[in-house]
Amino acid sequence: PASNRRVAIILANYPNRDGRLGNGVGLDTPAGTVKVLQALEAAGYSAGDLPTDGDALMRHLQEGPTNAGNDGREIRVVLPLADYEAFFADLPKEVRNEITERWGDPVNDPYFIKERDGFALPLSASGNVAIGIQPARGYNIDPTETYHSPDLVPPHGYLAFYCWLRASFGVQAIVHMGKHGNLEWLPGKALALSATCYPEAVL
């Protein structure tokens, strides 16, 4: 039933600044997202507490973690390290090796909070709908390198974001809202994806 379906709406964020959250060419993404939430509720989905408008939505998202950082932000969703490690262990060996070689240990990721022993994620859930900010494809590197690089593998925090949606939240549909995100630019093929193509591994 619609009331039991779990949906995630993911807003793009690049360049990776708070001023570029939810940008979309020719689309008011924040206001459009509120309209989608209202439509979901009207269709019987459990959308929880709806923001009054696009500005309220953006304020809410920026109060939590973003690609600009976690410091002083309200942590709403934490993925325990043990849950991430179980998810990571199920990925193809080739993918695991590439991520570890490029980004090292998961606890070095900017989204990882030692005091919480987990990843503080840029997500907020209300009812059966989660709204999030797509993580950056990398950190401590030239930001332009993270946008469309065909060989830059995503860091642990990126995978943790989608791990929480899949394994913890139990999402059944993911909508990338507004300007295209970066999932389709991850390493791998564009068509007929295999298990070692990163969009397939992530989703």
Side-chain angles (χ1 to χ4, degrees):
S3 60
N4 292 343
R5 297 176 193 160
R6 292 182 172 266
V7 178
I9 300 177
I10 309 305
L11 278 62
N13 179 211
Y14 69 89
N16 300 315
R17 302 188 301 269
D18 281 3
R20 301 294 287 173
L21 286 175
N23 53 334
V25 179
L27 173 69
D28 185 337
T29 305
T33 300
V34 172
K35 289 290 188 184
V36 169
L37 292 169
Q38 292 169 346
L40 287 170
E41 185 178 58
Y45 288 75
S46 174
D49 297 326
L50 299 182
T52 54
D53 54 29
D55 290 341
L57 172 64
M58 299 313 290
R59 283 194 302 271
H60 177 71
L61 290 175
Q62 290 183 64
E63 288 168 358
T66 69
N67 287 316
N70 296 323
D71 293 344
R73 311 275 182 137
E74 179 185 351
I75 307 300
R76 302 175 181 126
V77 172
V78 174
L79 177 73
L81 178 60
D83 291 359
Y84 175 73
E85 289 176 334
F87 171 85
F88 191 73
D90 279 342
L91 295 175
K93 183 177 181 180
E94 177 183 332
V95 171
R96 298 196 312 268
N97 289 345
E98 289 173 346
I99 291 173
T100 302
E101 181 179 341
R102 178 62 182 85
W103 299 109
D105 195 280
V107 300
N108 297 326
D109 192 274
Y111 279 130
F112 186 82
I113 305 296
K114 183 178 180 181
E115 297 74 21
R116 305 287 288 270
D117 195 31
F119 294 86
L121 300 174
L123 282 155
S124 177
S126 183
N128 288 337
V129 178
I131 300 179
I133 300 164
Q134 190 171 48
R137 282 189 57 188
Y139 55 91
N140 296 337
I141 56 177
D142 180 355
T144 59
E145 184 182 340
T146 72
Y147 302 156
H148 301 116
S149 171
D151 56 4
L152 178 66
V153 299
H156 292 285
Y158 190 105
L159 270 74
F161 179 90
Y162 286 95
C163 169
W164 182 85
L165 288 173
R166 290 171 52 182
S168 299
F169 186 67
V171 72
Q172 293 157 317
I174 296 178
V175 179
H176 288 89
M177 187 79 179
K179 190 175 186 177
H180 71 76
N182 54 44
L183 188 72
E184 68 269 37
W185 301 105
L186 297 181
K189 295 176 289 187
L191 297 170
L193 274 63
S194 67
T196 55
C197 294
Y198 279 76
E200 179 72 16
V202 167
L203 285 180

